[in-house]
């Protein structure tokens, strides 16, 4: 994270949670269960456990795995750490109350040659964008931050969307769910779960809680990575991207917003202000399946998103082309009936010529993508799929 | 005496807590990168070979030396002692003199005031290579008999006769892949020269003696003039056994040259490219057995990708060979173990080293 993103917030690190030499309960538990070996990952685990200790979630495997998915350990094999988490007491206070006082946010931060703007309203954001077309727009920074931390790149000018009033809103509109450009995955999850449960399940597999607490839909969309997880879903759901500049507003279908490999239709002076996802019509189905080497914290080898409402069918994939893209031939095939796997594979190969890389080979991608269509059809016919872990 | 013994804690059937657990959970346990940089300390960065096999025609440091903050650069000829860090066999150079032998091999290094300056300057080092053909697969290496150490064999009984008596026979081949150890604390070393030709090296190693000996050879000083210190042990999985000397050695040569402390901390990408992995294996088998499924004859070939130098390959191979019969009694067998020596080209192949096999 860039420092000004933290202005007005308390920062608590592993050094700060034990008091007067007395270990915090999560620290004690980790010592008692022998949850540390080389110890390098431990501070991260302690803080993930500390956050888990503040929540009232049940202390069962599913929740613990989700809470720990953002941390890697090589030595312990996790069992000892999971055991420690099972013993974390539920909080005896309401964790949602008692937010600390926020100070006045500054609009502008400067350090040497570096400028960081933190507009407090959408209006200010648009004006700053118009005045500084060379600035980088920063939302959660889970994509951009890697360029700073790993590539050690410097960003001379940054405009941060996180403090603009109203931009972080997630609301039920008349016909659509509206997700503000600064809303994080975590912010949007409750309403996504309500309207599009399959999309909610997918979002729980984007990164980990740490990433979902920062990352935004807008960031995922503007990043326009061919292996981003939300673009295929937004395309299949018929979502619209709301853009604005000091010149005015316009709306584009998600499909037209992404125009190439990491390329969008965003003009130099424009920002994304919100994403609108129309509610599912009665009888309409939406499913999405992500194929990756690991369940959590992994980039998709391929991801398919499926929308069907009678013969209105939209199928979009990530990981199959230079961008998230519809599978036009497969869609046509499904409009006329329930095709065989062979037919789906033939249509899929007409739609896509995927790459072979370290995530998957071209053949694997084509076959897996075709298999997902079958899964969608089976599930539409009432079949239930079983996860391996459930066996 | 018995009173003293009585004070020893722990023992058989008695759990003992990790003595650093409290430090781990409170964040007070120091890893090398947490240790404050000594005054005048420098940061280092590596120049890695983009080719698996290439002749080094020329290394031009002009631009790197003119870059902001750069204090020193080193190549093979800057090593004052013997350019050899082979842990078991000789002729394993710290920095190659004439030949780059794997993609990601360190060719030169830069020390600068800040890490960003060092990494930026390393990109400015211009190396002129003449790309040579490279052996990339175990199969090719077997064909060319390109081996990093002599073939080992283990045999008992008359194989031909035993196959003759076997009613059934199965033959085939399979592979076990290579793997990065993915130690969470990456490779790192902080070398601080003393006031009488001696040197102190903090190293994230599993093998401090090897680091001590390696650094002494490189600098041409006695073992007693090198103090190798490990902050915390564990989590290396074999990846920090011989490989730590590569990192500690480069930091030490830079420190001696500049007379200043030098820290070398690799980015995860460079760490994966430059340091050794677990051996990929190719295994060919031919097994004869009777009606009851009892094994009568086994002819086995184990070939591992040994990378460019022997490193721990002979020992890893002996281990593989001696474990190949698992829990079975094999009345007749011949196992030939071979280490192939592929030198590699662009294909993201790697150096290999010891690895704990789970
Ligand atoms: C450990 C880890 C795991 C991850 N896992 C996944 C995963 O499973 N699936 C996946 O799809 N992604 C994953 N990501 C990538 C990333 O988290 C997502 O792409 C995220 O949605 C990016 O959002 P952000 O707010 O952090 O974007 P930022 O990094 O802030 O910005 C990304 C891009 O969007 C632009 N931008 C942001 N907001 C606006 C706006 N309002 N108007 C115009 N431009 C804007 C920025 O300028 C930048 O180009 C992962 C990242 C990490 C670090």
């Amino acid at each position: 994270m860039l420092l000004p993103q933290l202005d007005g917030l308390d920062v608590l690190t592993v050094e700060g949670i034990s008091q007067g030499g007395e270990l915090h309960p999560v620290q004690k538990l980790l010592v008692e269960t022998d949850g540390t070996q080389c110890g390098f990952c431990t501070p991260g685990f302690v803080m993930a456990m500390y956050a888990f200790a503040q929540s009232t979630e049940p202390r069962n495997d599913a929740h613990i795995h989700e809470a720990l998915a953002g941390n890697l350990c090589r030595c312990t094999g996790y069992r000892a750490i999971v055991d420690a988490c099972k013993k974390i007491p539920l909080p005896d206070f309401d964790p949602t109350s008692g937010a600390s006082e926020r100070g006045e946010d500054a609009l502008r931060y400067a350090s040497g040659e570096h400028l960081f703007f933190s507009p407090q309203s959408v209006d200010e954001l648009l004006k700053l964008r118009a005045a500084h077309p060379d600035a980088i727009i920063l939302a959660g920074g889970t994509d951009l931050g890697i360029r700073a931390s790993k590539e050690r790149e410097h960003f001379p000018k940054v405009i941060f969307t996180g403090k603009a009033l109203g931009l972080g809103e997630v609301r039920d509109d008349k016909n659509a769910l509206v997700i503000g450009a600064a809303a994080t995955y975590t912010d949007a999850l409750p309403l996504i779960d309500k309207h599009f449960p399959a999309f909610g399940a997918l979002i729980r597999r984007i990164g980990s809680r740490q990433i979902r607490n920062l990352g935004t839909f807008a960031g995922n969309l503007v990043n326009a990575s061919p292996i981003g997880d939300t673009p295929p879903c937004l395309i299949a759901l018929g979502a619209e991207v709301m853009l604005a500049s000091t010149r005015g507003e316009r709306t584009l279908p998600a499909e037209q917003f992404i125009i190439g490999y990491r390329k969008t239709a965003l003009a130099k002076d424009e920002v994304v202000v919100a994403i609108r996802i129309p509610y599912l019509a009665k009888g309409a189905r939406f499913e999405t399946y992500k194929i990756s080497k690991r369940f959590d914290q992994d980039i998709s080898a391929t991801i398919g998103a499926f929308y069907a409402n009678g013969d209105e069918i939209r199928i979009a994939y990530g990981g199959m082309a230079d961008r998230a893209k519809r599978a036009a031939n497969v869609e046509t095939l499904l409009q006329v009936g329930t095709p065989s796997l062979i037919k789906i594979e033939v249509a899929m190969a007409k739609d896509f010529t995927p790459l072979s890389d370290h995530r998957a080979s071209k053949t694997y991608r084509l076959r897996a993508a075709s298999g997902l269509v079958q899964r969608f059809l089976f599930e539409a016919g009432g079949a239930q799929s079983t996860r391996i872990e459930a066996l | 005496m018995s009173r003293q013994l009585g004070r020893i804690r722990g023992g058989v059937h008695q759990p003992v807590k990790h003595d650093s657990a409290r430090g781990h959970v409170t964040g007070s346990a120091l890893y090398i990168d947490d240790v404050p940089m000594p005054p005048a300390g420098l940061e280092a960065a590596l120049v890695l070979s983009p080719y698996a096999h290439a002749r080094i025609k020329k290394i031009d440091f002009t631009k790197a030396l003119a870059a902001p903050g750069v204090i020193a650069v080193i190549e093979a000829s800057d090593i004052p002692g013997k350019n050899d860090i082979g842990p078991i066999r000789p002729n394993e150079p710290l920095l190659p003199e004439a030949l780059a032998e794997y993609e990601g091999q360190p060719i030169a290094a830069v020390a600068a005031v800040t890490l960003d300056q060092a990494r930026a300057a390393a990109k400015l080092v211009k190396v002129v290579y003449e790309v040579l053909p490279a052996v990339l697969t175990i199969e090719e290496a077997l064909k060319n008999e390109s081996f990093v150490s002599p073939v080992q064999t283990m045999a008992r009984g008359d194989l031909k006769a035993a196959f003759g008596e076997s009613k059934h026979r199965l033959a085939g081949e399979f592979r076990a892949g290579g793997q990065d150890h993915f130690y969470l604390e990456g490779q790192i070393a902080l070398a601080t020269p003393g006031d009488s030709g001696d040197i102190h090296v903090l190293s994230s190693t599993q093998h401090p003696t090897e680091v001590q000996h390696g650094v002494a050879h490189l600098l041409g000083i006695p073992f007693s003039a090198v103090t190798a210190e490990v902050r915390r042990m564990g989590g290396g999985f074999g990846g920090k056994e011989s490989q730590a000397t590569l990192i500690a050695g480069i930091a030490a040569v830079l420190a001696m040259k500049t007379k200043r402390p030098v820290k070398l901390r690799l980015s995860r990408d460079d760490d994966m490219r430059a340091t050794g992995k677990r051996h990929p294996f190719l295994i060919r088998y031919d097994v004869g057995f009777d009606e009851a499924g009892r094994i009568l004859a086994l002819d086995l070939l184990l070939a591992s990708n040994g990378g460019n130098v022997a490193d721990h390959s002979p020992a890893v191979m002996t281990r593989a060979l001696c474990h190949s019969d698992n829990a079975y009694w094999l009345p007749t067998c011949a196992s030939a173990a071979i280490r192939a020596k592929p030198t590699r080209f662009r294909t993201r192949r790697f150096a290999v080293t010891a690895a704990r096999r789970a």
Side-chain angles (χ1 to χ4, degrees):
Chain A
M1 289 179 88
L2 301 185
L3 192 61
Q5 281 178 273
L6 296 171
D7 194 9
L9 304 174
D10 290 333
V11 176
L12 191 57
T13 66
V14 70
E15 290 85 358
I17 65 168
S18 51
Q19 282 182 354
E22 175 78 4
L23 294 181
H24 184 272
V26 299
Q27 293 173 309
K28 256 190 236 161
L29 283 165
L30 213 49
V31 171
E32 279 162 18
T33 55
D34 293 314
T36 87
Q37 278 183 35
C38 89
F40 200 76
C41 69
T42 308
F45 273 99
V46 168
M47 294 316 288
M49 288 167 67
Y50 180 85
F52 188 58
Q54 315 303 307
S55 90
T56 53
E57 293 169 87
R59 278 34 175 160
N60 62 23
D61 280 345
H63 286 266
I64 293 169
H65 291 176
E66 195 185 309
L68 298 182
N71 297 77
L72 284 177
C73 173
R74 281 281 284 121
C75 305
T76 64
Y78 299 100
R79 189 197 42 78
I81 304 174
V82 172
D83 284 352
C85 288
K86 287 190 176 148
K87 296 182 187 148
I88 297 176
L90 291 169
D92 50 10
F93 55 90
D94 175 5
T96 55
S97 74
S100 49
E101 285 275 306
R102 292 201 53 136
E104 270 296 289
D105 290 309
L107 173 61
R108 192 169 174 279
Y109 305 78
S111 159
E113 309 266 274
H114 295 188
L115 269 181
F116 187 105
F117 299 102
S118 191
Q120 314 285 304
S121 68
V122 176
D123 216 36
E124 265 175 19
L125 170 65
L126 299 183
K127 280 186 191 140
L128 279 165
R129 188 40 163 172
H132 302 280
D134 54 335
I136 265 182
I137 303 275
L138 174 76
T142 59
D143 277 317
L144 287 174
I146 292 175
R147 279 165 57 189
S149 65
K150 191 161 170 238
E151 314 296 334
R152 305 187 75 80
E153 209 179 303
H154 290 268
F155 303 127
K157 253 189 211 177
V158 176
I159 302 172
F160 178 47
T161 60
K163 301 274 170 74
L165 200 69
L167 207 60
E169 229 173 61
V170 183
R171 67 189 156 83
D172 273 326
D173 204 6
K174 232 167 68 198
N175 305 310
L177 175 64
V178 180
I179 301 171
T184 65
Y185 293 117
T186 304
D187 292 336
L189 253 178
L191 284 179
I192 297 255
D193 272 339
K194 181 174 145 202
H195 299 294
F196 317 100
F199 197 11
L202 170 81
I203 284 165
R204 286 198 174 74
R205 288 182 61 193
I206 293 188
S208 60
R209 280 189 182 171
Q210 290 93 323
I211 299 299
R212 295 194 291 274
N213 287 343
L214 283 169
T216 62
F217 288 77
N220 201 235
L221 205 54
V222 177
N223 203 36
S225 158
I227 43 180
D229 281 327
T230 69
C233 298
L234 295 173
I235 290 172
L237 283 164
E240 291 174 326
V241 188
M242 298 157 81
L243 307 171
S245 68
T246 47
R247 294 175 289 122
E249 293 180 6
R250 61 179 178 137
T251 299
L252 279 179
E255 196 180 351
Q256 286 166 32
F257 179 72
I258 298 179
I259 56 174
Y261 177 72
R262 293 185 168 279
K263 262 216 189 99
T264 69
L266 204 65
K268 273 240 162 253
D269 62 345
E270 259 178 339
V271 297
V272 173
V273 286
I275 294 158
R276 282 174 60 91
I277 314 177
Y279 299 134
L280 293 181
K282 210 163 182 272
R285 284 180 60 81
F286 172 77
E287 293 295 343
T288 175
Y289 314 115
K290 168 171 174 168
I291 304 285
S292 56
K293 289 192 176 168
R294 286 173 289 131
F295 187 77
D296 298 300
Q297 278 278 40
D298 205 358
I299 301 291
S300 298
T302 180
I303 168 169
F306 306 84
Y307 173 90
N309 185 18
D311 60 5
E312 185 193 358
I313 289 171
R314 282 189 299 268
I315 299 177
Y317 281 92
M320 299 292 285
D322 64 345
R323 71 192 94 158
K325 230 176 168 171
R326 296 221 354 221
N329 285 292
V330 178
E331 287 177 4
T332 312
L333 198 62
L334 259 59
Q335 264 142 9
V336 295
T338 305
S340 66
L341 184 58
I342 308 269
K343 286 223 168 109
I344 298 171
E345 283 184 356
V346 170
M348 194 66 76
K350 275 195 210 146
D351 283 324
F352 298 111
T353 315
L355 289 178
S356 286
D357 62 13
H358 61 281
R359 292 199 177 88
S361 66
K362 173 185 171 189
T363 320
Y364 177 88
R365 284 194 158 104
L366 283 171
R367 296 199 67 182
S370 306
L372 295 182
V373 177
Q374 252 202 337
R375 176 166 169 190
F376 177 68
L377 294 174
F378 284 148
E379 287 183 359
Q384 296 236 327
S385 39
T386 307
R387 285 204 51 83
I388 286 199
E389 300 89 273
L391 295 176
Chain B
M1 174 148 173
S2 60
R3 272 185 63 192
Q4 265 189 340
L5 276 181
R7 258 188 259 127
I8 293 173
R9 288 179 301 116
V12 177
H13 293 300
Q14 247 184 290
V16 181
K17 290 282 153 256
H18 192 314
D19 59 2
S20 293
R22 201 184 159 89
H24 293 156
V25 299
T26 55
S28 64
L30 293 187
Y31 294 79
I32 294 176
D33 217 19
D34 299 323
V35 173
M37 184 65 120
L42 302 174
E43 301 268 2
L46 302 178
V47 179
L48 305 181
S49 166
Y51 303 112
H53 197 197
R55 200 175 312 287
I56 302 166
K57 306 272 276 190
K58 192 174 159 214
I59 307 182
D60 182 357
F61 289 113
T62 320
K63 275 197 180 147
L65 281 167
V70 174
I71 306 295
V73 296
I74 55 162
E75 58 186 312
S77 60
D78 290 294
I79 296 167
K82 197 157 177 272
N83 184 11
D84 191 351
I85 52 168
I88 299 167
R89 279 158 197 272
N91 300 325
E92 302 186 3
L94 179 80
L95 299 170
E97 262 132 55
L99 267 190
E101 287 195 297
Y102 64 91
E103 197 275 345
Q105 182 174 21
I107 303 296
V110 180
V113 176
T114 70
L115 184 60
D116 283 352
Q117 288 170 338
R119 289 191 180 166
K123 289 196 187 122
L124 298 175
V125 175
K126 210 169 167 263
V127 186
V128 182
Y129 297 96
E130 178 195 336
V131 180
L132 301 172
V135 176
L136 300 178
T137 64
I138 296 179
E139 282 88 342
E140 275 177 274
L142 283 173
K143 213 163 72 198
N144 301 343
E145 301 206 354
S146 168
F147 302 148
V148 293
S149 61
V151 172
Q152 304 174 32
T153 47
M154 190 168 87
R156 171 171 47 230
D158 181 348
L159 197 63
K160 215 172 152 205
F163 270 125
E165 287 159 23
S166 302
K167 188 132 191 234
H168 303 284
R169 203 154 161 176
L170 268 179
E173 71 172 44
F174 64 95
R175 283 160 197 283
Q179 194 177 37
D180 189 77
H181 304 80
F182 214 88
Y183 26 74
L184 286 186
E185 180 192 25
Q187 304 265 7
I188 180 170
L190 171 60
T192 307
D195 59 1
S196 44
D198 58 323
I199 192 163
H200 177 270
V201 184
L202 255 179
S203 165
S204 62
T205 181
Q206 295 175 253
H207 201 328
T209 310
E210 215 167 279
V211 166
Q212 182 199 26
H213 291 184
V215 167
H217 287 312
L218 290 166
L219 299 181
I221 57 178
F223 295 163
S224 60
V226 181
T227 307
E229 187 189 332
V230 181
R231 288 279 336 140
R232 329 206 74 83
M233 185 68 83
F237 312 106
K240 295 172 167 179
E241 203 172 326
S242 60
Q243 303 300 294
T245 312
L246 180 66
I247 310 309
I250 291 170
V253 172
L254 277 168
M256 277 310 205
K257 182 163 179 182
T258 58
K259 305 262 179 295
R260 293 166 71 161
V262 172
K263 177 150 77 178
L264 175 56
R265 163 166 69 93
L266 301 192
S267 68
R268 183 65 69 179
D269 294 16
D270 282 0
D271 195 320
M272 280 200 179
R273 290 175 65 201
T275 71
K277 314 272 162 289
R278 185 174 80 174
H279 292 75
F281 268 77
L282 168 70
I283 294 140
R284 292 190 177 136
Y285 61 89
D286 189 354
V287 57
F289 50 101
D290 65 16
E291 274 307 64
R294 225 180 345 253
I295 296 171
L296 302 178
L298 176 69
D299 187 5
L300 199 64
L301 174 97
L302 306 175
S304 75
N305 178 340
N308 63 316
V309 291
D311 189 274
H312 283 252
S313 300
V316 169
M317 186 51 90
T318 307
R319 191 75 176 265
L321 197 57
C322 295
H323 287 224
S324 60
D325 55 355
N326 197 341
Y328 300 97
W329 162 244
L330 304 175
T332 314
C333 64
S335 304
I338 288 171
R339 281 162 302 285
K341 179 202 180 178
T343 43
R344 294 153 252 106
F345 186 62
R346 272 205 207 104
T347 51
R348 291 257 161 193
R349 295 302 170 101
F350 29 71
V352 291
T353 189
R356 187 177 88 177
R357 286 186 184 247

